[in-house]
């Protein structure tokens, strides 16, 4: 008897599909708002590492070679190293310093871009929910037609 009454009822697929579309649009809007908040947070937290990166590049490209040559000359005067040997020593030390600046900038940028993890996790959760709802509706539709 129950089975006959279920067969007589026609599921409201249009209404259910409309609700699903409305939910998907709401989720999309929320996802975009979350992306905007995460972008703003990431940009705010990326400012300091970007300044460090620009500072590191400015030092390398600008005044750093002149300073290195001056220090190399001073090192050759103070030690028994030749001018070429002291230039090589200073070049290696400056590369180590630049590497440290780039490491700190990369570490800061990676930390600031970690805010997008929240957006990625929420998108994954929403996608799984939509797949679950679609598969449940398909299973319901298949069982109601029997």
């Amino acid at each position: 008897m129950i089975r006959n009454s279920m067969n007589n009822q026609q599921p409201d697929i249009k209404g259910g599909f409309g609700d699903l579309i409305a939910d998907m649009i709401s989720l999309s809007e929320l996802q975009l708002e979350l992306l905007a908040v995460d972008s703003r947070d990431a940009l705010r937290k990326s400012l300091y590492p970007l300044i460090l990166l620009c500072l590191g590049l400015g030092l390398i490209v600008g005044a750093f070679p002149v300073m290195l040559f001056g220090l190399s000359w001073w090192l050759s005067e103070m030690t028994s190293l030749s001018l070429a040997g002291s230039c090589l020593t200073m070049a290696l030390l400056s590369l180590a310093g630049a590497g440290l600046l780039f490491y700190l900038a990369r570490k800061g940028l990676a930390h600031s871009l970690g805010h997008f993890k929240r957006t990625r996790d929420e998108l994954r959760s929403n996608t799984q929910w939509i797949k679950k709802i679609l598969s449940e509706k398909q299973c319901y539709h298949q069982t109601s037609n029997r």
Side-chain angles (χ1 to χ4, degrees):
M1 185 72 178
I2 294 173
R3 192 170 269 225
N4 289 339
S5 65
M6 284 182 65
N7 285 338
N8 292 337
Q9 291 178 349
Q10 292 296 326
D12 186 16
I13 293 176
K14 289 182 182 179
F17 189 68
D19 290 343
L20 178 64
I21 294 298
D23 289 343
M24 289 174 61
I25 290 171
S26 296
L27 278 175
S28 299
E29 289 172 345
L30 290 172
Q31 195 73 43
L32 288 173
E33 287 178 25
L34 183 61
L35 180 63
V37 169
D38 285 347
S39 297
R40 187 176 55 242
D41 288 347
L43 182 62
R44 186 174 33 99
K45 292 199 177 200
S46 296
L47 187 60
Y48 181 69
L50 287 173
I51 290 172
L52 284 177
L53 184 65
C54 290
L55 180 64
L57 287 173
L59 285 175
I60 289 172
V61 172
F64 210 63
V66 176
M67 183 183 74
L68 286 177
F69 187 71
L71 286 173
S72 297
W73 198 331
W74 175 79
L75 187 61
S76 71
E77 295 289 325
M78 293 301 193
T79 63
S80 62
L81 289 174
S82 66
L83 185 57
S86 61
C87 282
L88 180 62
T89 303
M90 290 310 299
L92 292 175
L93 287 174
S94 67
L95 286 175
L100 178 65
L101 284 174
F102 285 131
Y103 170 75
L104 292 174
R106 181 185 168 275
K107 185 177 174 184
L109 284 172
H111 176 69
S112 68
L113 294 176
H115 287 283
F116 286 107
K117 182 182 183 313
R118 181 174 58 178
T119 301
R120 189 174 48 246
D121 292 343
E122 197 63 33
L123 180 63
R124 185 176 297 122
S125 170
N126 292 341
T127 305
Q128 288 173 350
W129 177 80
I130 289 170
K131 286 179 181 177
K132 178 183 169 196
I133 294 298
L134 287 175
S135 70
E136 285 175 1
K137 286 199 181 283
Q138 183 179 9
C139 288
Y140 174 75
H141 182 63
Q142 287 175 353
T143 58
S144 66
N145 286 339
R146 290 182 185 173

